[in-house]
Amino acid sequence: SEQSLAFSDPFLNRRRANDFIQPDTRLEGMSQERIRERMKAPQERQREMCEDYYPCELYAYRHGYAAAYRHYFGRRRTK
């Protein structure tokens, strides 16, 4: 009769409520996602710079983002 009470009770004991949740893996996944956001690949950063500059973006549609980045940002002119 005690087993039937355990199955019919919809509420869990406070101590057992979070036994099935693994907070470490969830938090670890969130921290890994934040690290990936901060540390972007160089090609992704270059593409974002090119997308922000309209002439570079137009050039990229025709020749690709790598060529467009080299054309507009590859050699910095200093004077």
Side-chain angles (χ1 to χ4, degrees):
S1 74
E2 186 149 331
Q3 285 181 342
S4 63
L5 285 175
F7 289 115
S8 65
D9 188 15
F11 300 104
L12 295 173
N13 183 347
R14 284 184 185 181
R15 291 182 183 157
R16 298 209 46 199
N18 291 325
D19 284 350
F20 58 92
I21 295 177
Q22 307 253 337
D24 294 335
T25 57
R26 184 174 51 91
L27 292 175
E28 183 179 322
M30 288 170 44
S31 67
Q32 288 296 322
E33 182 64 28
R34 288 195 178 120
I35 289 172
R36 280 192 294 271
E37 286 175 0
R38 251 186 290 146
M39 304 175 87
K40 293 182 179 178
Q43 294 85 3
E44 188 174 352
R45 279 189 263 126
Q46 291 174 358
R47 182 179 179 135
E48 288 176 355
M49 283 179 65
C50 192
E51 286 175 346
D52 290 339
Y53 186 55
Y54 187 69
C56 183
E57 188 175 19
L58 289 178
Y59 193 90
Y61 286 140
R62 205 168 255 259
H63 303 285
Y65 278 99
Y69 181 83
R70 279 193 308 271
H71 180 76
Y72 285 98
F73 302 107
R75 15 185 185 103
R76 295 284 182 177
R77 295 182 182 100
T78 57
K79 193 164 188 176

